[in-house]
Amino acid sequence: MLKKYIKESKDIRFEGNGYSDEWAEEAAKRGLSNIKTTPVALDAYVSEKSTELFTKNNIFSERELHARHEILLESYYKKLQIEARVMGEVTNSMIIPATIAYQNSLIENAKGLKELGLSGDALATPLAIINKVSEHLNIVKTSIDAMLEQRKKVNAIEDSREKAISYDEKVKSYFDTIRYHTDKLEQIVDDSVWPLPKFRELLFIK
Protein backbone atom coordinates (compact mmCIF):
# COMPACT_ATOMS: atom_id res chain seq x y z
CA MET A 1 0.00 0.00 0.00
CA LEU A 2 2.83 2.42 0.90
CA LYS A 3 4.63 1.59 -2.34
CA LYS A 4 1.46 2.38 -4.28
CA TYR A 5 0.99 5.76 -2.57
CA ILE A 6 4.67 6.67 -2.97
CA LYS A 7 4.41 6.11 -6.72
CA GLU A 8 1.12 7.98 -7.00
CA SER A 9 2.40 11.01 -5.08
CA LYS A 10 5.74 11.22 -6.87
CA ASP A 11 4.79 14.28 -8.93
CA ILE A 12 3.85 16.39 -5.91
CA ARG A 13 6.66 15.37 -3.55
CA PHE A 14 9.44 17.94 -3.23
CA GLU A 15 12.06 18.04 -0.49
CA GLY A 16 13.30 21.58 -1.17
CA ASN A 17 11.90 25.03 -0.41
CA GLY A 18 8.31 25.13 -1.65
CA TYR A 19 8.43 28.95 -1.81
CA SER A 20 11.58 29.13 -3.92
CA ASP A 21 12.14 29.77 -7.63
CA GLU A 22 13.54 26.24 -7.74
CA TRP A 23 10.11 24.83 -6.89
CA ALA A 24 8.38 27.09 -9.46
CA GLU A 25 10.67 25.68 -12.15
CA GLU A 26 10.23 22.13 -10.87
CA ALA A 27 6.44 22.46 -10.74
CA ALA A 28 6.40 23.66 -14.34
CA LYS A 29 8.50 20.64 -15.38
CA ARG A 30 6.07 18.31 -13.60
CA GLY A 31 3.05 19.98 -15.16
CA LEU A 32 1.74 21.12 -11.78
CA SER A 33 -0.06 24.37 -11.06
CA ASN A 34 1.86 26.78 -8.86
CA ILE A 35 -0.67 29.42 -7.81
CA LYS A 36 1.04 32.09 -5.71
CA THR A 37 -1.85 34.28 -4.57
CA THR A 38 -4.83 33.50 -2.34
CA PRO A 39 -7.61 35.03 -4.51
CA VAL A 40 -6.62 32.94 -7.52
CA ALA A 41 -6.09 29.82 -5.39
CA LEU A 42 -9.65 30.16 -4.05
CA ASP A 43 -10.94 29.57 -7.58
CA ALA A 44 -10.32 25.88 -6.89
CA TYR A 45 -13.58 25.90 -4.89
CA VAL A 46 -15.59 26.47 -8.04
CA SER A 47 -13.47 24.60 -10.57
CA GLU A 48 -15.12 21.93 -12.70
CA LYS A 49 -13.39 19.09 -10.83
CA SER A 50 -14.26 20.46 -7.38
CA THR A 51 -17.87 21.08 -8.35
CA GLU A 52 -18.20 17.55 -9.68
CA LEU A 53 -16.57 16.05 -6.57
CA PHE A 54 -18.65 17.93 -4.00
CA THR A 55 -21.98 17.66 -5.80
CA LYS A 56 -21.53 14.00 -6.73
CA ASN A 57 -20.91 13.11 -3.07
CA ASN A 58 -23.75 15.35 -1.83
CA ILE A 59 -21.33 17.45 0.27
CA PHE A 60 -22.13 20.84 -1.25
CA SER A 61 -24.39 22.01 -4.01
CA GLU A 62 -22.96 24.15 -6.78
CA ARG A 63 -24.70 27.18 -5.26
CA GLU A 64 -23.14 26.46 -1.85
CA LEU A 65 -19.67 26.21 -3.41
CA HIS A 66 -20.08 29.60 -5.08
CA ALA A 67 -21.34 31.07 -1.80
CA ARG A 68 -18.27 29.76 0.07
CA HIS A 69 -16.02 31.07 -2.68
CA GLU A 70 -17.63 34.51 -2.40
CA ILE A 71 -17.35 34.57 1.41
CA LEU A 72 -13.66 33.59 1.37
CA LEU A 73 -12.85 36.25 -1.23
CA GLU A 74 -14.65 38.88 0.83
CA SER A 75 -12.87 37.78 4.00
CA TYR A 76 -9.51 38.00 2.22
CA TYR A 77 -9.89 41.50 0.81
CA LYS A 78 -11.43 42.85 4.01
CA LYS A 79 -8.38 41.72 6.00
CA LEU A 80 -6.10 43.53 3.56
CA GLN A 81 -8.45 46.51 3.66
CA ILE A 82 -8.06 46.73 7.45
CA GLU A 83 -4.29 46.14 7.34
CA ALA A 84 -3.79 48.90 4.77
CA ARG A 85 -5.93 51.35 6.72
CA VAL A 86 -4.15 50.65 10.03
CA MET A 87 -0.76 50.84 8.33
CA GLY A 88 -1.67 54.22 6.88
CA GLU A 89 -2.95 55.60 10.19
CA VAL A 90 -0.03 54.35 12.30
CA THR A 91 2.54 55.55 9.79
CA ASN A 92 1.02 58.99 9.21
CA SER A 93 0.08 59.74 12.82
CA MET A 94 2.96 58.13 14.73
CA ILE A 95 5.99 57.00 12.73
CA ILE A 96 6.39 59.95 10.36
CA PRO A 97 5.93 62.65 13.07
CA ALA A 98 8.39 60.86 15.38
CA THR A 99 10.94 60.53 12.59
CA ILE A 100 10.62 64.22 11.67
CA ALA A 101 11.05 65.20 15.33
CA TYR A 102 14.25 63.16 15.54
CA GLN A 103 15.41 64.52 12.20
CA ASN A 104 14.92 68.08 13.49
CA SER A 105 17.05 67.34 16.55
CA LEU A 106 19.81 66.05 14.26
CA ILE A 107 19.57 69.19 12.13
CA GLU A 108 19.88 71.38 15.25
CA ASN A 109 22.90 69.33 16.31
CA ALA A 110 24.55 69.81 12.91
CA LYS A 111 23.83 73.55 13.01
CA GLY A 112 25.34 73.78 16.50
CA LEU A 113 28.51 72.01 15.42
CA LYS A 114 28.83 74.32 12.43
CA GLU A 115 28.32 77.41 14.60
CA LEU A 116 31.16 76.20 16.80
CA GLY A 117 33.38 76.32 13.74
CA LEU A 118 33.55 72.57 13.23
CA SER A 119 33.47 71.12 9.73
CA GLY A 120 34.63 68.17 7.66
CA ASP A 121 34.70 64.90 9.64
CA ALA A 122 33.03 66.52 12.65
CA LEU A 123 29.89 67.16 10.59
CA ALA A 124 30.11 63.98 8.53
CA THR A 125 28.35 61.69 11.04
CA PRO A 126 25.27 63.84 11.81
CA LEU A 127 24.88 64.70 8.13
CA ALA A 128 25.14 61.03 7.15
CA ILE A 129 22.43 60.10 9.68
CA ILE A 130 20.20 62.97 8.49
CA ASN A 131 20.57 61.80 4.89
CA LYS A 132 19.82 58.18 5.81
CA VAL A 133 16.73 59.17 7.83
CA SER A 134 15.52 61.40 4.97
CA GLU A 135 16.00 58.60 2.45
CA HIS A 136 13.93 56.07 4.40
CA LEU A 137 11.33 58.69 5.40
CA ASN A 138 10.75 59.78 1.80
CA ILE A 139 10.23 56.21 0.63
CA VAL A 140 7.83 55.46 3.48
CA LYS A 141 5.78 58.60 2.84
CA THR A 142 5.53 58.18 -0.94
CA SER A 143 4.70 54.47 -0.57
CA ILE A 144 2.01 55.12 2.04
CA ASP A 145 0.40 57.83 -0.10
CA ALA A 146 0.46 55.61 -3.19
CA MET A 147 -0.96 52.63 -1.25
CA LEU A 148 -3.82 54.66 0.23
CA GLU A 149 -4.65 56.09 -3.19
CA GLN A 150 -4.80 52.58 -4.66
CA ARG A 151 -6.94 51.49 -1.72
CA LYS A 152 -9.52 54.14 -2.59
CA LYS A 153 -9.65 52.99 -6.20
CA VAL A 154 -9.91 49.29 -5.31
CA ASN A 155 -12.68 49.96 -2.78
CA ALA A 156 -14.88 51.13 -5.66
CA ILE A 157 -14.76 47.69 -7.32
CA GLU A 158 -18.00 45.72 -6.91
CA ASP A 159 -16.99 42.22 -8.02
CA SER A 160 -15.52 40.29 -5.05
CA ARG A 161 -13.00 38.31 -7.07
CA GLU A 162 -11.73 41.31 -8.98
CA LYS A 163 -11.58 43.30 -5.73
CA ALA A 164 -9.62 40.58 -3.90
CA ILE A 165 -7.13 40.26 -6.77
CA SER A 166 -6.74 44.05 -6.98
CA TYR A 167 -6.12 44.30 -3.24
CA ASP A 168 -3.49 41.58 -3.54
CA GLU A 169 -1.74 43.06 -6.56
CA LYS A 170 -2.21 46.82 -6.17
CA VAL A 171 -2.43 47.43 -2.40
CA LYS A 172 -0.60 44.57 -0.69
CA SER A 173 2.34 45.08 -3.06
CA TYR A 174 3.32 48.18 -1.03
CA PHE A 175 3.38 46.40 2.33
CA ASP A 176 6.90 44.97 2.14
CA THR A 177 8.46 48.27 1.03
CA ILE A 178 6.75 50.22 3.81
CA ARG A 179 7.67 47.58 6.37
CA TYR A 180 11.33 47.42 5.29
CA HIS A 181 11.97 51.17 5.44
CA THR A 182 9.96 51.59 8.66
CA ASP A 183 12.11 48.87 10.25
CA LYS A 184 15.21 50.78 9.14
CA LEU A 185 13.89 53.97 10.75
CA GLU A 186 13.14 52.04 13.95
CA GLN A 187 16.83 51.10 14.14
CA ILE A 188 17.93 54.74 13.74
CA VAL A 189 15.39 56.92 15.58
CA ASP A 190 16.04 57.61 19.27
CA ASP A 191 14.20 55.25 21.65
CA SER A 192 12.81 58.18 23.61
CA VAL A 193 11.16 59.56 20.46
CA TRP A 194 9.95 56.34 18.80
CA PRO A 195 6.26 55.95 19.77
CA LEU A 196 5.93 52.16 19.47
CA PRO A 197 7.67 49.22 21.17
CA LYS A 198 10.75 48.20 19.19
CA PHE A 199 11.37 44.59 18.23
CA ARG A 200 14.06 44.04 20.84
CA GLU A 201 11.71 45.42 23.49
CA LEU A 202 8.97 43.03 22.45
CA LEU A 203 11.34 40.08 22.51
CA PHE A 204 13.62 40.72 25.46
CA ILE A 205 12.19 43.34 27.84
CA LYS A 206 9.52 42.18 30.31
Side-chain angles (χ1 to χ4, degrees):
M1 186 61 74
L2 284 174
K3 185 177 180 181
K4 173 178 179 290
Y5 287 144
I6 288 170
K7 286 183 177 180
E8 287 179 353
S9 65
K10 182 180 179 181
D11 286 343
I12 62 171
R13 281 188 282 108
F14 181 69
E15 301 301 325
N17 180 358
Y19 296 95
S20 65
D21 292 335
E22 180 190 359
W23 167 242
E25 294 172 7
E26 187 62 31
K29 287 179 186 176
R30 299 184 189 188
L32 300 173
S33 61
N34 186 32
I35 300 169
K36 296 184 177 181
T37 63
T38 299
V40 179
L42 291 174
D43 288 344
Y45 262 94
V46 291
S47 69
E48 189 176 335
K49 284 185 177 181
S50 294
T51 302
E52 182 182 356
L53 172 69
F54 285 115
T55 55
K56 184 178 179 180
N57 290 283
N58 295 318
I59 299 169
F60 296 121
S61 67
E62 185 173 350
R63 185 177 180 183
E64 288 171 329
L65 284 171
H66 280 277
R68 284 175 172 267
H69 182 230
E70 183 79 11
I71 289 166
L72 288 168
L73 286 170
E74 185 178 355
S75 174
Y76 178 78
Y77 77 68
K78 280 190 173 179
K79 286 176 182 176
L80 288 182
Q81 194 176 51
I82 293 167
E83 284 184 39
R85 182 173 180 176
V86 171
M87 188 179 290
E89 289 181 359
V90 169
T91 303
N92 282 325
S93 67
M94 299 176 77
I95 291 170
I96 291 176
T99 303
I100 291 173
Y102 180 63
Q103 188 180 48
N104 286 337
S105 69
L106 291 173
I107 292 169
E108 289 301 316
N109 174 258
K111 284 181 179 177
L113 292 173
K114 193 171 183 181
E115 287 172 3
L116 288 172
L118 300 175
S119 61
D121 291 342
L123 284 174
T125 298
L127 290 177
I129 298 173
I130 291 167
N131 286 332
K132 186 58 68 176
V133 168
S134 297
E135 178 187 332
H136 292 303
L137 181 61
N138 288 336
I139 294 172
V140 168
K141 180 57 179 170
T142 54
S143 298
I144 280 289
D145 288 347
M147 181 197 71
L148 293 177
E149 186 59 34
Q150 283 296 333
R151 184 178 178 274
K152 288 179 186 176
K153 293 177 182 177
V154 174
N155 281 341
I157 298 172
E158 296 292 335
D159 182 76
S160 293
R161 184 177 184 275
E162 185 185 348
K163 194 169 188 174
I165 290 173
S166 293
Y167 253 105
D168 185 76
E169 294 178 352
K170 297 178 180 179
V171 178
K172 184 172 174 283
S173 58
Y174 288 98
F175 286 11
D176 285 344
T177 300
I178 296 166
R179 167 69 184 274
Y180 174 81
H181 290 281
T182 301
D183 286 350
K184 290 297 182 183
L185 287 173
E186 180 184 300
Q187 295 170 12
I188 300 171
V189 176
D190 187 345
D191 278 2
S192 64
V193 178
W194 193 257
L196 301 167
K198 295 192 174 184
F199 281 125
R200 60 179 174 74
E201 293 171 341
L202 292 172
L203 292 172
F204 303 115
I205 298 178
K206 295 182 179 179

